[in-house]
Amino acid sequence: LAKTTQPISMDSYEGQEVNITCSHNNIATNDYITWYQQFPSQGPRFIIQGYKTKVTNEVASLFIPADRKSSTLSLPRVSLSDTAVYYCLVGDIERAGSARQLTFGSGTQLTVLP
Amino acid sequence: NAGVTQTPKFQVLKTGQSMTLQCAQDMNHNSMYWYRQDPGMGLRLIYYSASEGTTDKGEVPNGYNVSRLNKREFSLRLESAAPSQTSVYFCASSESPVLNSPLHFGNGTRLTVT
């Protein structure tokens, strides 16, 4: 399983764009990158997933460079309600049933300030 | 549409007592999971069920047992609770066990073992 490294915490102000980078130097050819968001007292919520280049949805964008050794979650114009922990997961989507692909790290605590 | 429902929300046990955490999903998902979350440690996979009739160990299975009762329900049992099992327990489900099938989480059970 590709080990991931994220910053422990980040602060931002309302209206700013926030970029959270996840390092995964040992990512394998079949590994996908998935990001989740967790609010206090709730379970994590899926945000976005990608394999290479750029993926965008209504919530965020995910940038993955050509070497795929890192990825960046970009949240446009954050608000106070975006304060949460963000987790990066990397795993082989074809290895069905492999428990190791479902491991969350400690995540990044994003605090949005007024 | 309730999604993933966990009961109870809170529980206090004494060391050595047993209990079962219940989880049900109404999304017709094939795969279900149990995680525990401890401060500063992210989420760790306890057990999972890739499909009805199968269960497999995750990262931290010791002290736990699971039952996939049917497609909807996946229970977690603590036979003899220990203080080290004080944690927040999350149940999740996904359409399939592969990584590109997003996990849907319940809101957790906060368990304290004294």
Side-chain angles (χ1 to χ4, degrees), chain A residues 66-81:
Chain A
D67 66 6
R68 304 198 328 121
K69 292 185 184 298
S70 67
S71 58
T72 299
L73 174 72
S74 180
L75 304 172
R77 299 182 59 79
V78 294
S79 64
L80 296 176
S81 62

Side-chain angles (χ1 to χ4, degrees), chain A residues 31-34 36 38 41-46 49 87 89-107, chain B residues 6 33 35 37 40-45 48 50 56-59 88 90-91 94 97-108 110:
Chain A
D31 285 348
Y32 267 62
I33 301 154
T34 310
Y36 285 83
Q38 185 179 25
S41 302
Q42 294 185 25
R45 181 175 73 103
F46 171 86
Q49 184 178 72
Y87 295 96
L89 276 72
V90 176
D92 184 348
I93 67 162
E94 295 185 4
R95 197 176 301 157
S98 168
R100 302 184 70 194
Q101 69 183 316
L102 301 168
T103 299
F104 287 70
S106 297
Chain B
Q6 293 183 235
Y33 315 82
Y35 285 87
Q37 185 170 35
M41 298 192 70
L43 288 93
R44 293 182 290 171
L45 183 66
Y48 69 102
D56 287 283
K57 294 178 181 179
E59 184 184 1
V88 180
F90 288 100
C91 177
S94 65
V98 295
L99 186 63
N100 67 342
S101 180
L103 298 170
H104 297 258
F105 285 84
N107 283 329
R110 188 174 296 274

Side-chain angles (χ1 to χ4, degrees), chain B residues 8-25:
Chain B
K9 288 184 170 50
F10 301 93
Q11 184 70 49
V12 179
L13 293 178
K14 293 188 172 153
T15 297
Q17 287 186 316
S18 63
M19 81 159 294
T20 299
L21 282 66
Q22 306 287 353
C23 175
Q25 52 92 7

Side-chain angles (χ1 to χ4, degrees), chain B residues 23-49:
Chain B
C23 175
Q25 52 92 7
D26 62 4
M27 295 171 283
N28 201 35
H29 283 170
N30 291 301
S31 305
M32 298 185 74
Y33 315 82
W34 277 105
Y35 285 87
R36 61 177 288 173
Q37 185 170 35
D38 303 299
M41 298 192 70
L43 288 93
R44 293 182 290 171
L45 183 66
I46 305 171
Y47 270 94
Y48 69 102
S49 171

Side-chain angles (χ1 to χ4, degrees), chain B residues 25-93:
Chain B
Q25 52 92 7
D26 62 4
M27 295 171 283
N28 201 35
H29 283 170
N30 291 301
S31 305
M32 298 185 74
Y33 315 82
W34 277 105
Y35 285 87
R36 61 177 288 173
Q37 185 170 35
D38 303 299
M41 298 192 70
L43 288 93
R44 293 182 290 171
L45 183 66
I46 305 171
Y47 270 94
Y48 69 102
S49 171
S51 60
E52 186 179 358
T54 69
T55 60
D56 287 283
K57 294 178 181 179
E59 184 184 1
V60 289
N62 291 343
Y64 305 95
N65 285 302
V66 291
S67 295
R68 184 73 184 267
L69 305 169
N70 47 55
K71 191 171 185 179
R72 289 187 64 246
E73 298 172 290
F74 189 39
S75 62
L76 178 72
R77 182 159 178 84
L78 287 72
E79 289 292 350
S80 179
S84 61
Q85 293 178 306
T86 293
S87 188
V88 180
Y89 291 85
F90 288 100
C91 177
S93 70

